[in-house]
Amino acid sequence: WYPKEFAKVAYDLSNQYDIIIFGGTKEKDIARDIEKYLVDYGINNYHNLAGKTSITELINQISNLDLFITGDSGPMHIAAAFQVPTVTIFGPTNYKETSQWMNKNSIIVKKNLGCQPCMKRNCPLMHHNCMTLIKAKDVLKAIKTSNF
């Protein structure tokens, strides 16, 4: 998903939650972009842990979360193992095949486009609408209408 949209969600939730940015070493730039937006929005109750945790530390961090907002990822499955309330943003991947398993506290946010799921990293149609059309308000609405 896009850094500015993640940051908008974090901004809206920052009065209720401390914000933790996760990511691997290859995602440090994206995490820094999210962090820049948070600073611009005046948010200071965040920690950027991108590229700074071992797998064990990541598991420990995720297991203690009150809410996890993520894309289709390995950490999403860690959250499922601990029944962490999770909102997962799905774009080109198949939510029927890779969504959380056995997490009753899971919500999927996606668009219902004819081109989904294409399973491609780069959009073959050159528009990436499956991700660009998902906005912070969609994620926030999912959270607010959930039983979390």
Side-chain angles (χ1 to χ4, degrees):
W1 202 32
Y2 299 96
K4 189 169 190 176
E5 296 301 316
F6 267 120
K8 287 178 183 177
V9 171
Y11 172 78
D12 194 82
L13 298 175
S14 64
N15 287 331
Q16 297 169 263
Y17 301 95
D18 288 328
I19 309 302
I20 302 174
I21 305 167
F22 295 109
T25 55
K26 293 180 181 179
E27 297 165 319
K28 284 180 175 180
D29 289 341
I30 293 169
R32 270 194 292 271
D33 289 344
I34 294 169
E35 186 174 8
K36 279 190 249 178
Y37 286 117
L38 293 178
V39 169
D40 290 346
Y41 297 154
I43 304 302
N44 57 17
N45 61 323
Y46 73 89
H47 300 295
N48 184 350
L49 299 181
K52 299 176 183 174
T53 60
S54 67
I55 296 295
T56 302
E57 291 166 335
L58 178 66
I59 291 168
N60 186 50
Q61 288 284 335
I62 290 174
S63 72
N64 289 303
L65 294 176
D66 295 316
L67 175 65
F68 189 45
I69 301 167
T70 183
D72 182 12
S73 63
M76 171 192 74
H77 295 289
I78 294 169
F82 291 97
Q83 297 292 301
V84 173
T86 303
V87 176
T88 305
I89 299 149
F90 273 87
T93 57
N94 189 340
Y95 76 96
K96 290 179 181 177
E97 292 178 3
T98 61
S99 63
Q100 289 186 330
W101 185 66
M102 303 290 287
N103 185 357
K104 64 185 181 301
N105 298 310
S106 176
I107 296 175
I108 293 171
V109 174
K110 68 178 196 63
K111 296 298 176 179
N112 294 311
L113 305 176
C115 55
Q116 284 178 284
C118 72
M119 304 301 289
K120 306 284 184 194
R121 284 200 178 276
N122 296 312
C123 179
L125 301 176
M126 308 301 284
H127 56 60
H128 213 234
N129 283 345
C130 62
M131 293 302 277
T132 60
L133 294 176
I134 298 172
K135 301 298 181 190
K137 65 182 170 88
D138 300 317
V139 173
L140 292 166
K141 181 180 177 185
I143 295 165
K144 290 175 183 166
T145 58
S146 73
N147 293 325
F148 297 162

